[in-house]
């Protein structure tokens, strides 16, 4: 038993070390208006952070579209309001909004998309949220983006 627990500790330790240098935010958003994760950790030292979104549902983008927007938590509500004005043709994001750190296009069921941004746009320990800016979705479709050094 002693050996087994030492092995398990070793495995968990390795997992944490990997998470500390994670450079990918991989999310699924479905027809139930949910992301599969509530929290993602990335490193501000990543030269490039990749945001990957897939929609395993069946509903079209106009009805159940999802995107991923990365921003400071305090900016989420204002970004979402301005995104509604921008509309679906602009992926519910005001392209000129400097508060938007990164955003993907809006996709529907069966689709995938991705976006990249430099890790240096994030500050380790900052308060960030990932969310969907489709009208009404950010109430449920949001999670904490933890940023390490
Ligand atoms: Co959505």
């Amino acid at each position: 038993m002693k050996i087994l627990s030492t092995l398990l500790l070793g495995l968990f330790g390795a997992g944490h070390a990997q998470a500390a240098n994670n450079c990918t935010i991989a999310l699924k958003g479905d027809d139930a208006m949910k992301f599969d994760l509530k929290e993602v950790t990335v490193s501000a030292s990543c030269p490039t952070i990749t945001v990957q979104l897939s929609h395993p549902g069946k509903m079209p983008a106009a009805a159940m579209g999802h995107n991923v927007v990365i921003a400071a938590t305090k900016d989420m509500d204002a970004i979402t309001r301005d995104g509604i004005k921008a509309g679906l043709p602009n992926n519910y994001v005001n392209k000129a909004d400097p508060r938007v750190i990164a955003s993907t296009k809006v996709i529907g069921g069966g689709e995938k998309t991705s976006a990249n941004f430099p890790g240096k746009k994030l500050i380790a320990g900052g308060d960030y949220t990932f969310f969907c800016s489709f009208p009404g979705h950010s109430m449920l479709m949001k999670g904490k983006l933890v940023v390490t050094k």
Side-chain angles (χ1 to χ4, degrees), residues 13 18 31 146 148:
Q18 237 171 8
D31 284 346
V146 176
T148 59

Side-chain angles (χ1 to χ4, degrees), residues 70-95:
I70 309 292
T73 300
K74 66 175 171 57
D75 294 333
M76 182 180 81
D77 289 344
I79 289 170
T80 302
R81 278 197 301 274
D82 290 349
I84 291 169
K85 286 182 213 156
L88 181 57
N90 292 305
N91 297 294
Y92 294 114
V93 171
N94 173 1
K95 284 176 197 162

Side-chain angles (χ1 to χ4, degrees), residues 31-108:
D31 284 346
M33 207 196 293
K34 278 186 197 154
F35 282 129
D36 60 329
L37 300 174
K38 286 280 166 205
E39 186 176 306
V40 177
T41 299
V42 290
S43 168
S45 63
C46 295
T48 301
I49 294 175
T50 303
V51 184
Q52 298 173 342
L53 173 65
S54 65
H55 189 324
K58 292 195 160 46
M59 294 172 73
M64 186 52 74
H66 303 312
N67 65 0
V68 178
V69 178
I70 309 292
T73 300
K74 66 175 171 57
D75 294 333
M76 182 180 81
D77 289 344
I79 289 170
T80 302
R81 278 197 301 274
D82 290 349
I84 291 169
K85 286 182 213 156
L88 181 57
N90 292 305
N91 297 294
Y92 294 114
V93 171
N94 173 1
K95 284 176 197 162
D97 191 338
R99 297 168 300 193
V100 174
I101 295 168
S103 66
T104 70
K105 68 174 190 171
V106 171
I107 59 170

Side-chain angles (χ1 to χ4, degrees), residues 33 64-67 132-134 137 141:
M33 207 196 293
M64 186 52 74
H66 303 312
N67 65 0
C132 173
S133 67
F134 190 102
H137 285 201
M141 297 192 77

